[in-house]
Amino acid sequence: MQKREAATVINISSIKAACKDCTLQELCLPLGLNEVDVAALDKVIKRRRTLKKSEMLYRFGDPLRALYAIRSGALKTTGLIEDGRAQVTGFYLPGELLGIDAINTDKHPCSAEALETSEVCEIPYGALEELATKIPGLQHQLLRIMSREIVRDEEMLMMLGRMSAEERLASCLMSFSRRLSRLGGAPAEFKLSMSRQDLGDYLGLALETVSRLLSRFHDEGLIEVHGRQITLRDLNRLRNMAAGNGREHNASAQ
Amino acid sequence: MQKREAATVINISSIKAACKDCTLQELCLPLGLNEVDVAALDKVIKRRRTLKKSEMLYRFGDPLRALYAIRSGALKTTGLIEDGRAQVTGFYLPGELLGIDAINTDKHPCSAEALETSEVCEIPYGALEELATKIPGLQHQLLRIMSREIVRDEEMLMMLGRMSAEERLASCLMSFSRRLSRLGGAPAEFKLSMSRQDLGDYLGLALETVSRLLSRFHDEGLIEVHGRQITLRDLNRLRNMAAGNGREHNASAQ
DNA sequence: CGTAGCTTTGAGTGTTATCAACTCTCGTGG
DNA sequence: CCACGAGAGTTGATAACACTCAAAGCTACG
């Protein structure tokens, strides 16, 4: 936890580029590439950057310079609506790629902010695209990641369009559980890095509604809540709830 | 409009591949490619397919074989929720590309259905990806189109998460106007190819709410409605409404 | 010209937002 | 070590917006 100047100097090469040593390889761009190709990708990746809580990675309208792979921490992206209203368009966890929505116009259509201290790898976009023409596996992986983002957004669309507040929150909790478990954490216990307000802005709910629902889930034995520390107690019922079951027949009979 | 067997034979080559003659070039994959590259793309595109109203282009879970460029007509994509509820994840107009959300898992995560008689160009995905490694401009265009889809989905997220029913419908009408005007139609007058139910399933509203809002917009002089025929009468007020203005100060003053 | 599906309109209800007050937590400084 | 304050979270009361159910009117197509 302590910072030592000497260490900084010694590790400078590994700080700059370390895809081949990164534990997130299997979730990130290098997935499916051979050693030589990973080395080529490494050369393109500029530097690792550390963000403190509430620091901005980029802002709405900024020119697209790079994509960012999350190494640790968590970020949120927010779209812009003039009046006070904000829409959180996504939460991003380690192994996920940020900024791909800027490729269309070469400008970021949303802002990205760190929810806690976070490390990101900066991948200059021009160089990445060029490299992708040379490494078919990289192009494939890039297209896959973009497609995954589309699928994720479409799932959110269904959530916001058709699900009740209860279903949305259950769905969101299950999503965090799933994504965090890939990182090796216990799938049923985690700490939310975002406020109730952020959750509400993501789920299209008022922060009070989020709070009330968490309390109710707790009362019903579905979860344990201590501030931002969450423990999922009944994954099956949560899964059912997220899937929209127990709606027709009033949730009483199974 | 009449079909002649002779013509079919004569035009078979142009039916199979005609990117270079297509009026939608500027909106579609060939955008930015030179003549030689368009010819190469032409070779890859398999055939044009005609769909009748309510015919399915692909279904949820189908393996990804091809992407589809819309030449004429209109389609909707719907996600699956078990109980009666449906979420329309998108409407697709000529010049737009369908199926890119399947690249992630090689399976279509939604179903695509024709809203009216439609023509699509079938672009085998494997061949397209391979070609994209050879033509950097094609890779670039493909990435741009996918990024655009992400941006569009994120705009929908804001709409569903933070906007009132009124704002959603205004926003949707403006979107149709914008997209149709690129095709050369009058930007203020068009025929909806989808039912009120579909619009509701897209906007996260009940069909009755859509109908009521259209009536109200009409009463307020914003639009003209005759069944599915829509004329936008006050683009400025609609634009303002879609942007969420006239909300704070009760819409009375300006 | 009849039927089936789509659309409009009405009445009543419910989920969720809003406003408001209170509590908790945690970090800071006396 | 405890008091204080600020931000975050909880809980309650009320109200609005949009849903649901219901019935009638329209349109289009055979």
Side-chain angles (χ1 to χ4, degrees), chain B residues 92-103:
Chain B
Y92 290 82
L93 303 180
E96 299 177 346
L97 200 62
L98 209 52
I100 54 181
D101 51 0
I103 294 170

Side-chain angles (χ1 to χ4, degrees), chain B residues 170-171 173-174 177 187-190 216-225 230-242 254:
Chain B
S171 184
L173 292 175
M174 292 304 295
S177 168
E189 192 171 354
F190 49 88
R216 217 185 73 205
F217 283 6
H218 177 95
D219 295 345
E220 290 171 352
L222 287 166
I223 62 174
E224 207 73 42
V225 191
I230 303 283
T231 310
L232 307 185
R233 283 262 172 260
D234 193 334
L235 286 165
N236 280 332
R237 258 200 301 162
L238 279 170
R239 210 187 326 275
N240 270 323
M241 199 178 263
Q254 219 217 25

Side-chain angles (χ1 to χ4, degrees), chain A:
Chain A
M1 284 293 164
Q2 303 154 18
K3 255 191 179 170
R4 284 166 297 160
E5 284 303 312
T8 312
V9 174
I10 289 168
N11 289 333
I12 210 159
S13 64
S14 73
I15 284 174
K16 275 180 83 170
C19 280
K20 74 178 202 305
D21 301 321
C22 180
T23 55
L24 296 173
Q25 244 193 84
E26 292 305 309
L27 303 171
C28 196
L29 266 175
L31 173 64
L33 301 191
N34 63 38
E35 224 171 276
V36 178
D37 291 341
V38 171
L41 180 60
D42 258 342
K43 247 182 237 150
V44 154
I45 294 179
K46 249 199 187 137
R47 60 193 174 102
R48 238 149 78 189
R49 186 166 151 196
T50 302
L51 296 160
K52 293 202 209 77
K53 184 176 167 164
S54 86
E55 205 174 328
M56 307 295 287
L57 181 57
Y58 52 76
R59 286 167 197 280
F60 181 93
D62 281 356
L64 167 64
R65 270 186 283 267
L67 304 184
Y68 303 90
I70 318 295
R71 271 186 70 86
S72 67
L75 289 91
K76 69 171 176 183
T77 51
T78 50
L80 204 65
I81 308 190
E82 297 76 272
D83 45 346
R85 296 180 288 176
Q87 176 68 35
V88 172
T89 49
F91 294 119
Y92 290 82
L93 303 180
E96 299 177 345
L97 200 63
L98 209 52
I100 54 181
D101 51 359
I103 295 170
N104 180 35
T105 59
D106 292 323
K107 284 191 194 312
H108 289 285
C110 61
S111 304
E113 181 186 336
L115 292 166
E116 54 184 282
T117 303
S118 304
E119 274 184 311
V120 302
C121 299
E122 189 175 316
I123 310 166
Y125 181 66
L128 178 64
E129 199 177 279
E130 198 188 342
L131 193 61
T133 60
K134 291 178 193 136
I135 308 177
L138 180 60
Q139 178 193 270
H140 182 71
Q141 177 63 358
L142 192 53
L143 290 169
R144 264 187 14 93
I145 287 175
M146 295 190 69
S147 181
R148 184 180 64 194
E149 185 76 10
I150 294 172
V151 172
R152 230 171 55 164
D153 283 347
E154 283 173 355
E155 281 166 2
M156 271 302 290
L157 288 186
M158 294 193 226
M159 191 147 125
L160 294 178
R162 283 285 154 243
M163 289 164 85
S164 68
E166 170 185 292
E167 292 166 324
R168 289 181 208 186
L169 186 60
S171 184
C172 182
L173 291 174
M174 292 304 295
S175 163
F176 283 136
S177 168
R178 210 178 317 119
R179 287 153 68 192
L180 288 168
S181 67
R182 295 185 323 174
L183 304 173
E189 191 171 352
F190 50 86
K191 187 160 187 290
L192 298 171
S193 47
M194 70 293 293
S195 67
R196 304 287 193 263
Q197 176 76 63
D198 286 334
L199 275 173
D201 287 344
Y202 179 59
L203 298 172
L205 301 172
L207 70 97
E208 295 96 326
T209 305
V210 174
S211 179
R212 266 185 258 272
L213 281 171
L214 285 172
S215 301
R216 217 185 74 205
F217 284 5
H218 176 95
D219 294 346
E220 289 171 354
L222 286 166
I223 61 174
E224 207 73 40
V225 191
H226 298 291
R228 294 190 178 179
Q229 188 66 37
I230 303 282
T231 310
L232 308 185
R233 283 261 172 260
D234 193 335
L235 287 166
N236 281 330
R237 257 200 302 162
L238 279 170
R239 211 187 325 273
N240 269 323
M241 197 179 263
N245 300 347
R247 191 163 214 258
E248 311 282 87
H249 311 88
N250 220 8
S252 56
Q254 224 213 20

